[in-house]
Amino acid sequence: MPDLQKYTRYLERIWETQWLTNGGEFHEQFEERLRLYLGVEHLNLLVNGTIALLVALQALRINGGEVITTPFTFPATPHVLYWNNIRPVFCDIEKDTMTIDPVQIEKHITPDTKAILAVHVYGNPCDVEAIDSIAQKHGLYVIYDAAHAFGVKVHGRSLLEYGDISALSFHATKLFSSIEGGALVSHSHKQKERIRFLRNFGIANEEHVIGPGINGKMNEFQACFGLLHLDVVDKEIEKRHQLTDLYRKKLANLDGIRCLKDILHVKHNYAYLPILIDQDAYGIGRDRVYAILKECNIMTRKYFHPLCSNYPCYAALPSSIHSNLPVAHRISNEVLCLPLYGELAPSTVEDVCKIIQEIPNTL
Ligand SMILES: Cc1ncc(COP(=O)(O)O)c(C=O)c1O
């Protein structure tokens, strides 16, 4: 949480001006400071990451046909397609980064394909170069769900610069938060202006509504929270980096447990700590590890399980068939996200790792 006294001072200012939403002073400050922090040219704030994704599709005028996406993601990713009357086409993922596998994308392209909606899962960059060349070859848009990728850089450049539009989430559970919140990063002034209208019902001025927009505006309370969180996010990333190193060191050489590795030339944000549990090598499977840790009052997350392709609303799609998604199924059954937050004590990380080390000996 940001400093409460500072937040209170911002609240006093809101009470003074009585400006609560619709592009207030804190909104404008936050939009600009965030843009500079992330090192991008064109950024619009939105009320949350889901509306940001919805608006991204509308900004690109994609509201029908098919979009190729990943089943290994949060429900919002395929749901925004559904809400835009688009059929999700699920593509398998790559086993090391858990992002969409570019080698598998082309086989899903049909005359109805409009775009690729890829997710930088856990902040791991998708293979942006390969996705870009497939999109160029077939004339497709690329949208990145960058909900996990706050501050991630590749070769010193913001990951958000890739694709046509990237969508961020600042939900309370994210590394960086404005309570609820989100943003879109686009690549032209024209696109930024279009998004600005779309997030405000399409209202251009008192006399003109230029298109069918939505209410996607961030309010002043969220903007203040985000502004203050920007002051502390670097420290949070640094603490999570140290805790990640500790987890990786303690869990190294443990049969059947795999941690992710840092990728060369990537500045990671250490937002999550996923491990993969290979039941044959470790002795027991992910679900039992989850239950044992829970009994010890250690709350982990099966993130992402179930796969989106298994939700009843998508299970009947041809691309949801198990044989199309073997890697996603395996990873979804093996993955477990361990506790990770700046205030987590290193000694607690050691305790968690000790339990994981000892489980096979108790079988
Ligand atoms: C990958 C992914 N996409 C989209 C979202 C939706 O963002 P929000 O909760 O801000 O609407 C989330 C998380 O909440 C997410 O993890």
Side-chain angles (χ1 to χ4, degrees):
M1 299 289 283
D3 186 276
L4 181 58
Q5 281 185 345
K6 287 186 186 166
Y7 193 63
T8 308
R9 280 204 290 278
Y10 280 171
L11 291 182
E12 283 165 2
R13 173 75 188 155
I14 293 175
W15 256 253
E16 199 179 298
T17 62
Q18 299 188 25
W19 193 314
L20 307 180
T21 187
N22 288 11
E25 63 182 272
F26 291 117
H27 178 281
E28 299 302 287
Q29 272 180 44
F30 183 35
E31 198 165 71
E32 179 58 9
R33 269 196 59 202
L34 193 60
R35 187 185 75 75
L36 295 172
Y37 177 91
L38 294 170
V40 296
E41 191 105 5
H42 302 287
L43 179 143
N44 296 92
L45 289 175
L46 285 116
V47 68
N48 62 51
T50 307
I51 295 289
L53 282 167
L54 268 183
V55 169
L57 290 159
Q58 288 290 325
L60 296 170
R61 295 186 165 83
I62 308 170
N63 46 22
E66 296 176 349
V67 167
I68 298 170
T69 192
T70 165
F72 190 69
T73 183
F74 191 71
T77 319
H79 288 352
V80 296
L81 298 177
Y82 189 92
W83 278 55
N84 271 303
N85 201 26
I86 297 162
R87 191 168 338 113
V89 176
F90 293 113
C91 177
D92 209 2
I93 59 172
E94 199 274 320
K95 72 174 176 32
D96 291 320
T97 61
M98 304 175 204
T99 59
I100 197 165
D101 183 353
V103 176
Q104 306 288 328
I105 291 177
E106 271 187 303
K107 73 176 184 198
H108 294 295
I109 296 175
T110 73
D112 286 338
T113 309
K114 306 283 185 243
I116 299 163
L117 172 54
V119 183
H120 301 304
V121 181
Y122 310 129
N124 277 335
C126 296
D127 188 342
V128 286
E129 305 289 351
I131 292 172
D132 192 44
S133 66
I134 294 166
Q136 288 215 357
K137 185 171 152 197
H138 296 274
L140 305 175
Y141 288 115
V142 178
I143 300 169
Y144 284 110
D145 179 337
H148 298 179
F150 185 88
V152 175
K153 292 192 171 161
V154 182
H155 290 285
R157 180 179 170 203
S158 171
L159 181 58
L160 306 168
E161 289 285 318
Y162 292 89
D164 293 286
I165 299 188
S166 293
L168 290 154
S169 162
F170 311 140
H171 183 258
T173 54
K174 296 287 184 283
L175 168 74
F176 173 77
S177 164
S178 59
I179 311 174
E180 296 267 3
L184 286 177
V185 172
S186 56
H187 305 303
S188 69
H189 178 69
K190 198 172 156 205
Q191 194 63 279
K192 184 182 159 155
E193 280 299 284
R194 182 165 162 72
I195 294 166
R196 201 163 65 80
F197 292 131
L198 284 171
R199 78 176 171 197
N200 187 29
F201 313 98
I203 296 174
N205 56 47
E206 283 181 39
E207 301 292 332
H208 295 104
V209 175
I210 58 171
I214 198 166
N215 184 356
K217 290 172 277 111
M218 176 180 280
N219 68 48
E220 290 291 89
F221 298 82
Q222 292 171 278
C224 288
F225 196 95
L227 268 170
L228 292 175
H229 214 209
L230 262 188
D231 293 339
V232 294
V233 70
D234 284 337
K235 225 178 260 168
E236 177 68 21
I237 293 172
E238 180 47 34
K239 284 184 191 159
R240 290 189 192 205
H241 186 176
Q242 284 171 14
L243 295 167
T244 299
D245 285 349
L246 183 59
Y247 266 122
R248 287 177 181 170
K249 196 172 111 200
K250 293 283 165 191
L251 296 176
N253 310 319
L254 192 56
D255 278 348
I257 301 290
R258 177 160 75 91
C259 293
L260 300 196
K261 294 190 186 104
D262 282 357
I263 302 166
L264 206 63
H265 306 305
V266 174
K267 181 182 172 287
H268 290 273
N269 66 9
Y270 306 99
Y272 298 91
L273 201 294
I275 61 168
L276 294 160
I277 301 166
D278 174 344
Q279 176 161 356
D280 293 339
Y282 183 64
I284 63 167
R286 187 273 313 276
D287 287 350
R288 280 194 56 205
V289 177
Y290 167 89
I292 292 169
L293 289 171
K294 196 170 177 186
E295 274 168 29
C296 303
N297 207 24
I298 297 161
M299 302 307 163
T300 61
R301 291 282 307 277
K302 301 177 195 176
Y303 197 63
F304 298 100
H305 177 87
L307 290 176
C308 298
S309 48
N310 282 356
Y311 302 166
C313 50
Y314 304 126
L317 290 171
S319 63
S320 294
I321 188 166
H322 190 294
S323 57
N324 178 45
L325 307 165
V327 181
H329 274 277
R330 183 160 55 76
I331 301 279
S332 176
N333 286 326
E334 291 185 350
V335 75
L336 195 63
C337 283
L338 301 182
L340 184 66
Y341 47 93
E343 287 177 12
L344 182 64
S347 59
T348 309
V349 171
E350 290 184 10
D351 291 344
V352 174
C353 293
K354 204 157 173 224
I355 296 170
I356 297 172
Q357 282 156 1
E358 282 172 4
I359 287 173
N361 304 331
T362 62
L363 298 175

